[in-house]
Amino acid sequence: MKLPIMITATAVIAAAAILLKMKHRGELPLHPIQRSKSNQVKVACVGDSITYGYLIKNQQKNSYPAQLQQLLGNHFCVGNFGYSGRTASVDGDFPYIKEHLYQKSLAFQPNIVLLMLGTNDSKPCNWNSADYTDSMKKMIEGYLALNSVKQIYLLLPPPVFALNGKVRFEVNNAVIQNEIIPILNRLSNEYKLTTINLYSVFEGKNDLFVDGLHPNNAGAKLIAETIYQALNDNDVFERH
């Protein structure tokens, strides 16, 4: 009589592990594409699981794009194009630019693009400085080619923290800090874009992360507030 129970428990554990892996890779249902009104300013939030809102409770309300929508109000339409586990690098394990969601972000015809990719690129299996640089250039130029795009913001990824002595998914904080962020700063200067430094905002604030890597509700709120302030400082509200 105990054998079926043991088999069932094992199956449940295995299914949960598969579900977690699928969720990290972005294979679960994505956020619905927002339908904008004719007078709204469209903001595309492009990124990985941090943008998606992985591990955040009630993502439709508490992911950073959702909280940014609340801050910006009805004059703006914010789309969450986050895709868990994705890289900027085309030679990475899960390149964002090869996903249908990238095409959907272009079809959204955004006026403002918030681009944050690099956390998954820092993994040993993915990191290649030249590939990351070239791939980011392709993405930037892809959005700049849209007549609708007025501004692109490069979001410098937040730091990652060890949980129980280990960083999840082999993400490398040293690569983020010492290689990815300088590359993004150089690209910002090259293309005359604006950076938003989430790395410095989150330094020493490991309490704002669920697992040392993914922000919790309060962390997502801080991202949204930081972006809101950057938009305000850049006179976005007056321009639109």
Side-chain angles (χ1 to χ4, degrees):
M1 293 296 292
K2 293 183 179 181
L3 183 58
I5 296 176
M6 292 177 60
I7 294 174
T8 301
T10 302
V12 170
I13 293 171
I18 293 171
L19 193 64
L20 181 63
K21 187 175 182 180
M22 289 176 63
K23 189 172 183 179
H24 175 62
R25 291 182 176 182
E27 295 171 5
L28 294 182
L30 301 176
H31 295 279
I33 306 302
Q34 299 297 318
R35 294 184 178 180
S36 63
K37 299 177 182 178
S38 59
N39 63 336
Q40 287 183 311
V41 178
K42 291 182 285 186
V43 181
C45 300
V46 178
D48 50 35
S49 55
I50 295 174
T51 300
Y52 179 84
Y54 179 62
L55 297 182
I56 287 179
K57 296 178 181 179
N58 193 357
Q59 296 161 348
Q60 299 298 321
K61 180 180 179 181
N62 294 318
S63 64
Y64 103 68
Q67 295 199 56
L68 180 62
Q69 176 69 78
Q70 296 168 26
L71 291 172
L72 291 174
N74 294 331
H75 185 57
F76 290 77
C77 178
V78 180
N80 187 339
F81 295 92
Y83 208 175
S84 295
R86 267 50 190 180
T87 66
S89 299
V90 295
D91 289 334
D93 49 3
F94 299 105
Y96 186 93
I97 203 168
K98 293 184 179 181
E99 302 291 348
H100 291 303
L101 195 61
Y102 170 65
Q103 298 301 326
K104 290 181 179 180
S105 73
L106 296 173
F108 184 62
Q109 291 288 307
N111 306 117
I112 298 171
V113 178
L114 303 173
L115 178 56
M116 179 166 57
L117 284 168
T119 300
N120 293 302
D121 293 271
S122 74
K123 300 175 184 178
C125 65
N126 289 327
W127 181 240
N128 181 294
S129 177
D131 182 42
Y132 178 77
T133 302
D134 291 342
S135 299
M136 283 298 299
K137 284 185 174 183
K138 289 179 182 178
M139 291 195 69
I140 290 169
E141 291 170 2
Y143 289 112
L144 286 175
L146 298 175
N147 292 329
S148 63
V149 170
K150 306 302 180 185
Q151 294 171 296
I152 297 176
Y153 291 81
L154 297 183
L155 278 57
L156 309 186
V160 296
F161 301 91
L163 184 67
N164 298 323
K166 184 178 181 180
V167 175
R168 297 199 71 190
F169 304 115
E170 297 186 308
V171 172
N172 191 322
N173 187 71
V175 171
I176 293 173
Q177 181 180 21
N178 300 322
E179 300 194 60
I180 288 175
I181 288 178
I183 288 172
L184 292 174
N185 282 326
R186 289 198 297 271
L187 292 177
S188 177
N189 291 331
E190 180 178 345
Y191 289 94
K192 295 179 172 59
L193 309 178
T194 301
T195 59
I196 300 177
N197 194 341
L198 296 178
Y199 191 95
S200 62
V201 167
F202 279 94
E203 280 189 296
K205 297 178 180 175
N206 57 314
D207 58 312
L208 296 181
F209 293 79
V210 179
D211 58 353
L213 174 60
H214 299 95
N216 56 24
N217 291 18
K221 180 181 179 182
L222 181 56
I223 294 176
E225 291 174 342
T226 302
I227 293 171
Y228 180 86
Q229 185 60 53
L231 296 178
N232 185 49
D233 292 344
N234 210 24
D235 298 326
V236 166
F237 307 118
E238 294 182 10
R239 295 182 190 182
H240 297 281

